[in-house]
Each structure stands twice: as C-alpha cells, then as structure tokens.
Amino acid sequence: MRFTLSSSALTNKLVALSKVINSKNSLPILADFVFEIENNTLRLTASDSENTMKTSLELNESDSNGVFAIGNHDLIEAVKGISEQPITFDVNLQDNIAKISYLNGLFSLPIDSADEFPIAQEISAGANVININSNVLAENINRSLFATGQDEIRPVMNGIFFDLSPESLSIVATDGHKLVRNKILNINNEIPASFILPKKPANLLRSMLSKDGGDVTIKFDDRNAEINFGDGMIKCRLIEGRYPNYNSVIPQSNPNQLSVDRAALLSALRRVQPFANGSSNLIRFHIENGILQLDAEDYDFSKTATERMSCEYNGMPMSIGFKGASFIEILSNIDSQDVIIQLADPSRAGVVIPSEQPENQDVLMLMMPMLLND
C-alpha cells in the first residue's frame, strides 16, 4: 500500500491528535495512531479508551485502501522536522513495516494491526442533539474551563455542564467558590436535556475547533457524547451524576451596582495581589463615593498594598473580600471594555457581568466572598 500527502498537513493533524494519548496506557495499542486509507482519504484516530478523536485529510495520491496502526511518538518526532513537501508512505502489511520517504531522506517504523484498537461506544438511538456554531462553542469552553473543580468527592464539579432547556442552552462551570453561566439564547429544546463534559475532551475540542464559524453537532445520551466538527470528531465518556442546582446560588437581587473599566481593574488586581496573604489570597474591595479601593496585606511578612481607582457606583458604602487570583481569572475571561459588579452585602455572592453581552448570549460570573477581619 502506497500513499502520498503533505508533510505539514500530516504533522498538524498528528500533533492535535496526540493530545488525547496518555503517557501511560492500559493497552499498548493505545500509544498508536490508526491510519485508515479509503478512496484517497486518510482518516486518523487516537484514543485513551475513554476519549476517541478522529480527523481526516485528502491524499495527494494512493494506490489502495487499507488500515494499520503506528506508534505516535517516533512518528511525530520524525515528521515534525520535515519542511513542507510531499511525503510518501510505503506500507507492507505482511512484514509490518512502513517506509516513509521525503525529498532528502527515508525512515522506517514498525506498524501494528489495528484490529486490537478499541472501538468507541456508539451513541444510543434517540440521542439528544445540539447544533452550535464552532466559534460560540469555543468561546464558551474557553470562558468556562477555569471555573471547573478538582474535587474527588464530587466529580460532577470537574466538568462543564451543558443544560438544554425550552428557553436556552446554558453552559455552566463551578468549583463551589466561583461559577460561570453562559446562556446561548438562540439554542433551545422543548424537552430538557443535559450532560457533563469532562475537562479533557473539552480541552481537546477547544484546540481542534476551527475559526471559520462552521457548525458543530453534539449528540449525547446518558453516558456518552459524539461531537462532530469540520473534518473531525470526538467521542467521549461523560461524567455521570446530578449537577448542582446552579441557579439557586445566583442572587436574584443585588441592589448595589458597580461599573468599572475591566482592563484597569485587572491591572490593579495584578499589582496588589502579590501583597496578599499567601494562604488566603484575600483582597478587600471598598467602594464609596465613586472610588474603588483595593487593599492587600500580609502581616506575617510585613507587606501591604493599596490602590484606588474611579468607578460608577449607585449603592451603599461597602467593604467586601474576594480571593484575588479568582477575581483575576474572572476578569481575564470577559471580553467587554467595562464590567458590572453586582453586590448585596459582604456575606453574599458578588455577580460580575460584561457591560456588553455577546450576540444572543447572556454571560454571568459569580464569586463567593471571603470573611473580612475588621
């Protein structure tokens, strides 16, 4: 079997696929890529047994169809240093060897039978379907991943929750201290349905989604999801369990409203945060008379910092504590020029929303306050 393709196109596909492969695998075959040639198209597959990723590319030429597996590490190391040029595979399925030739060289690698490669679980009949723009999905995954948990006791907190309702599709992440809720208002379904996407396939999906604004189709049942996009597909096992009632922790009325330049507040927090206590990372927000004052202190090392900035505020004077690193993460994942911070009192959650929402979306972020020792 002989086929020829672009070296850079192959390298890009292999590097993207390699992110699904674990450094240690339960089955030796899971360290391989599967190459399947059919009708002048190459389909590439990689898996860690729970997540399977596939992609395809057109061949310059091929003389037959066939399938084989080849180790990921040596192949990537060999091809990634080859400049853009045609690269030819001569595959001997009887001797289990592949010879790869290019303009100035040749190397050969052993191949394996693809028969032992695990087959991804099929989605059950009657699965739920979501169609979403690839840019919107990528933005929402990017906006949510930082808020996912790392909780061994409550694994449902460790993924991104997709909540499809008659009103909207909500994409949610929380670790119990901070929360992100993205509502996509032009996607809905009469029958509510939901699933929890683990972080690994979410990261894989984020890296694979194209910027061309194409459509992504997500099919899911109680245990598995299949996500089709452009020239690729991911099948993954979902996190099972009941996701917390995130709507119950979002305040319905925070009367004290602060509007401030996002970039200016982010820069100020980055300057003040290094002076906060190493264990608590507490930063005090004091708002009064159109001035926001940020205070950090670490008396163990005799460090303090204060910074003031102008803002618009229509509430009672207030001091409230937040974890500096978490607030920096929230502001870093909002795109608007200004942010609106809605507060009730120092013991209740603060809500951060962009001053200008993305089209057909409603983005909200929430952070629990920290106790101030006055």
Side-chain angles (χ1 to χ4, degrees), residues 2 7 101 104 115 133 138 194 219 237 261 263 275 290 307 345:
R2 181 184 177 94
S7 60
S101 58
N104 296 314
D115 294 342
N133 177 274
S194 62
K219 300 178 182 178
R237 190 173 300 166
D261 182 279
F275 294 85
E307 186 157 339
D345 61 61

Side-chain angles (χ1 to χ4, degrees), residues 135-374:
N135 291 341
V136 172
L137 180 57
E139 289 168 3
N140 277 273
I141 290 175
N142 276 326
R143 199 182 288 132
S144 305
L145 271 170
F146 81 93
T148 55
Q150 298 181 9
D151 195 329
E152 295 181 1
I153 299 174
R154 296 178 296 174
V156 294
M157 309 279 276
N158 300 341
I160 298 177
F161 184 52
F162 286 68
D163 188 14
L164 187 60
S165 73
E167 292 78 34
S168 63
L169 170 64
S170 293
I171 299 178
V172 183
T174 182
D175 61 3
H177 302 286
K178 55 185 179 288
L179 178 146
V180 176
R181 187 203 65 192
N182 312 278
K183 278 188 177 181
I184 303 173
L185 304 174
N186 59 351
I187 298 177
N188 53 63
N189 195 52
E190 290 184 7
I191 302 174
S194 62
F195 67 93
I196 307 172
L197 183 69
K199 272 185 278 196
K200 182 172 182 177
N203 273 306
L204 293 171
L205 187 59
R206 176 177 63 169
S207 68
M208 292 290 286
L209 288 175
S210 64
K211 304 293 191 296
D212 60 7
D215 286 336
V216 178
T217 301
I218 304 173
K219 300 178 182 178
F220 63 96
D221 56 24
D222 292 339
R223 295 191 174 187
N224 301 284
E226 177 182 306
I227 306 167
N228 290 277
F229 52 92
D231 59 4
M233 182 270 284
I234 292 175
K235 284 186 178 180
C236 63
R237 190 173 300 166
L238 301 173
I239 298 175
E240 297 183 46
R242 183 183 294 274
Y243 201 77
N245 182 1
Y246 60 90
N247 283 314
S248 67
V249 301
I250 299 174
Q252 299 304 308
S253 176
N254 273 9
N256 303 297
Q257 185 162 294
L258 161 71
S259 179
V260 65
D261 182 279
R262 182 192 67 86
L265 177 56
L266 181 58
S267 297
L269 282 168
R270 285 174 172 160
R271 288 189 291 269
V272 170
Q273 190 231 2
F275 294 85
N277 180 272
S279 58
S280 69
N281 203 234
L282 170 66
I283 293 181
R284 179 196 304 262
F285 287 58
H286 181 77
I287 316 109
E288 186 175 3
N289 296 329
I291 298 294
L292 169 60
Q293 178 171 312
L294 305 173
D295 294 292
E297 56 191 33
D298 187 350
Y299 289 132
D300 292 339
F301 294 93
S302 301
K303 298 191 300 183
T304 64
T306 296
E307 186 157 339
R308 297 178 183 87
M309 58 190 304
S310 61
C311 65
E312 295 180 13
Y313 184 59
N314 64 355
M316 298 292 292
M318 183 186 303
S319 291
I320 186 170
F322 290 112
K323 186 173 183 177
S326 295
F327 218 104
I328 287 171
E329 285 181 313
I330 282 177
L331 294 176
S332 299
N333 285 280
I334 292 177
D335 295 328
S336 66
Q337 180 174 340
D338 296 332
V339 291
I340 297 167
I341 304 172
Q342 300 171 342
L343 305 169
D345 61 61
S347 65
R348 295 170 63 186
V351 172
V352 183
I353 59 174
S355 59
E356 295 182 5
Q357 294 283 2
E359 185 178 1
N360 291 319
Q361 296 186 59
D362 180 6
V363 176
L364 175 149
M365 302 194 184
L366 172 148
M367 189 159 56
M368 300 304 294
M370 301 181 70
L371 180 65
L372 292 173
N373 295 318
D374 291 321

Side-chain angles (χ1 to χ4, degrees), residues 81-157:
I82 300 174
S83 60
E84 168 53 27
Q85 59 185 279
I87 183 170
T88 299
F89 282 68
D90 283 292
V91 181
N92 189 319
L93 297 175
Q94 283 71 43
D95 295 338
N96 294 321
I97 197 80
K99 294 182 179 179
I100 298 101
S101 58
Y102 51 102
L103 182 62
N104 296 314
L106 168 74
F107 60 90
S108 62
L109 288 171
I111 62 173
D112 300 309
S113 169
D115 294 342
E116 298 178 10
F117 201 81
I119 299 173
Q121 184 75 32
E122 292 297 323
I123 305 297
S124 62
N128 299 285
V129 179
I130 297 173
N131 292 302
I132 183 171
N133 177 274
S134 62
N135 291 341
V136 172
L137 180 57
E139 289 168 3
N140 277 273
I141 290 175
N142 276 326
R143 199 182 288 132
S144 305
L145 271 170
F146 81 93
T148 55
Q150 298 181 9
D151 195 329
E152 295 181 1
I153 299 174
R154 296 178 296 174
V156 294
M157 309 279 276

